[in-house]
Amino acid sequence: MKALKYRGAWDVTLDEVPDLHVTGDDDVVVEIAYCGICGTDLGIASGAYPVAVPGTTLGHEASGIVAEIGDAVTGLAVGDRVVINPTPYCGRCRMCRTQRINHCVNKHGTESGVSYDGAYAGRFRTTSGFIHPVPDHVSLRAAALTEPLSCVVAGARKLQPPGLTAHTFVIGAGPLGLLYTWVLSLRGLTPVVVEHSPARLAFARDRLPVGSAVYGSLAEARAKHFGDPDAPLDVVVDTTSHLLEELFPQMAHGGTYMSIGLKEKVAAIDTMLLADRSLSVIGSIDSLHGSFVEALHLITSGRVPAERLVSHVVPLEDYRTGFAALGCDLDARVFGPADQASCKVLVAPGGRHE
Ligand SMILES: [Zn+2]
Ligand SMILES: [Zn+2]
């Protein structure tokens, strides 16, 4: 089978590797239909997020068809349509026993597709507890957004907005920005999205929940949406991870600044303001207890229109096109902000077009 391997910064290769098969009683091997490209993948490939283990197959947002199951697996059968939870945890360590499975100390790294072989490949092997059936009425394309949505559900749980009228801003209209907009909307907020790229802004415009809007700058969002250039910033979800230092002094009293981009950036903030204005600065990564199941529920129930956030589907052989659509040009070795009408880009190792 083919597998997209991380070798080092700007060194990603599509290799022929041996097919994966069941080796343990509880193993499940999935033939990958779709695997979403995540900002994490762009960071790894470009060297900006230097956490991946060289030689690892990338890809962690995947759906597919069960190809093989171990003898002890129950409740799953060959041919089942499934989605994969790529974030391993042991359930026994101190982190797992204290509501922090995303920081399990018994996983040797972060997740499949970063520290373990992932799903930009013909097949992926895991154990049955990390496999979730996908109902017939949900496409495998939509199901591939379960993992990023799970991260958003986990992050949204940490946000405690000061009431449903909180002025809520989501910076960036990429997949996480739009998923945060939907999840916060389902919690009763009305997020306003800020996106500098006109192409991305246009893609996002008719994929927003009722009441939400997207603007080309924060200044425009404040002035046009709220009719006040100094409209309070009660909640800011920053998917770029670049704006904390600039926006922190502008946060409204009791406000919350959430930073979720995996980009290295050191920011200085005034700790007197932090206390004096009752501000919160929070981060979030990966899935937490039950968030994967909740995310799948939001997709299967139609509450989050996951498939509409898919902008591109490319065969595995064309992964460079997919990465480039998100601003990561592997040939020119340039990684900048995406300026195409791109949102969630799916790689299709099996050439499926369901
Ligand atoms: Zn991801
Ligand atoms: Zn653990």
Side-chain angles (χ1 to χ4, degrees):
M1 67 178 195
K2 294 267 192 246
L4 187 61
K5 292 282 183 186
Y6 168 77
R7 301 290 172 194
W10 298 113
D11 188 6
V12 176
T13 56
L14 187 59
D15 295 352
E16 190 64 37
V17 301
D19 260 6
L20 286 173
H21 297 285
V22 160
T23 55
D25 278 355
D26 191 36
D27 279 0
V28 177
V29 171
V30 178
E31 193 180 295
I32 301 300
Y34 300 105
C35 184
I37 301 179
C38 174
T40 304
D41 300 320
L42 310 179
I44 291 169
S46 65
Y49 182 53
V51 295
V53 177
T56 303
T57 302
L58 299 175
H60 60 268
E61 302 178 355
S63 61
I65 308 284
V66 174
E68 295 179 16
I69 57 172
D71 292 340
V73 174
T74 56
L76 284 171
V78 171
D80 282 357
R81 303 162 74 253
V82 296
V83 62
I84 297 160
N85 180 351
T87 311
Y89 60 94
C90 74
R92 298 183 302 276
C93 73
R94 179 171 167 271
M95 285 291 153
C96 285
R97 287 175 192 252
T98 54
Q99 311 285 323
R100 291 173 281 182
I101 60 172
N102 52 343
H103 298 293
C104 171
V105 300
N106 288 326
K107 56 178 186 178
H108 307 289
T110 59
E111 61 187 355
S112 307
V114 181
S115 319
Y116 311 90
D117 279 344
Y120 291 140
R123 286 181 164 204
F124 176 83
R125 180 172 59 215
T126 184
T127 48
S128 62
F130 294 91
I131 297 289
H132 300 255
V134 174
D136 287 345
H137 74 277
V138 176
S139 74
L140 289 176
R141 293 181 192 227
L145 275 78
T146 307
E147 195 274 341
L149 181 55
S150 173
C151 298
V152 168
V153 168
R157 286 180 188 165
K158 300 180 79 175
L159 278 172
Q160 300 295 331
L164 298 183
T165 57
H167 288 32
T168 303
F169 299 84
V170 173
I171 313 294
L176 287 187
L178 293 189
L179 291 174
Y180 262 100
T181 303
W182 276 94
V183 170
L184 295 179
S185 171
L186 288 169
R187 292 184 62 185
L189 295 166
T190 311
V192 178
V193 184
V194 175
E195 172 56 57
H196 292 299
S197 156
R200 289 200 128 187
L201 186 154
F203 183 88
R205 187 176 281 129
D206 61 354
R207 291 170 173 83
L208 295 174
V210 172
S212 286
V214 57
Y215 296 93
S217 70
L218 182 61
E220 190 188 352
R222 290 170 108 174
K224 286 194 178 165
H225 201 82
F226 297 105
D228 176 1
D230 297 316
L233 306 180
D234 291 317
V235 175
V236 172
V237 176
D238 178 9
T239 69
T240 72
S241 80
H242 272 283
L243 298 173
L244 174 61
E245 195 164 299
E246 178 187 338
L247 297 185
F248 184 76
Q250 301 178 44
M251 293 299 295
H253 292 66
T256 300
Y257 192 96
M258 180 162 209
S259 187
I260 54 151
L262 285 173
K263 304 231 172 73
E264 218 170 13
K265 170 86 178 171
V266 175
I269 59 171
D270 182 342
T271 52
M272 188 178 72
L273 282 188
L274 183 68
D276 203 31
R277 292 188 185 169
S278 304
L279 297 174
S280 301
V281 177
I282 55 180
S284 185
I285 187 77
D286 290 340
S287 299
L288 275 172
H289 289 279
S291 66
F292 200 89
V293 172
E294 279 187 22
L296 188 54
H297 164 73
L298 292 179
I299 292 173
T300 59
S301 63
R303 302 288 184 88
V304 170
E307 187 152 2
R308 296 197 63 222
L309 305 189
V310 176
S311 60
H312 299 65
V313 180
V314 299
L316 180 55
E317 291 70 20
D318 294 343
Y319 66 94
R320 284 171 181 269
T321 309
F323 276 58
L326 294 168
C328 184
D329 187 331
L330 293 168
D331 296 318
R333 299 192 170 197
V334 174
F335 180 27
D339 60 1
Q340 293 188 34
S342 59
C343 191
K344 182 47 74 183
V345 177
L346 300 181
V347 171
R352 299 177 68 91
H353 295 287
E354 172 198 328

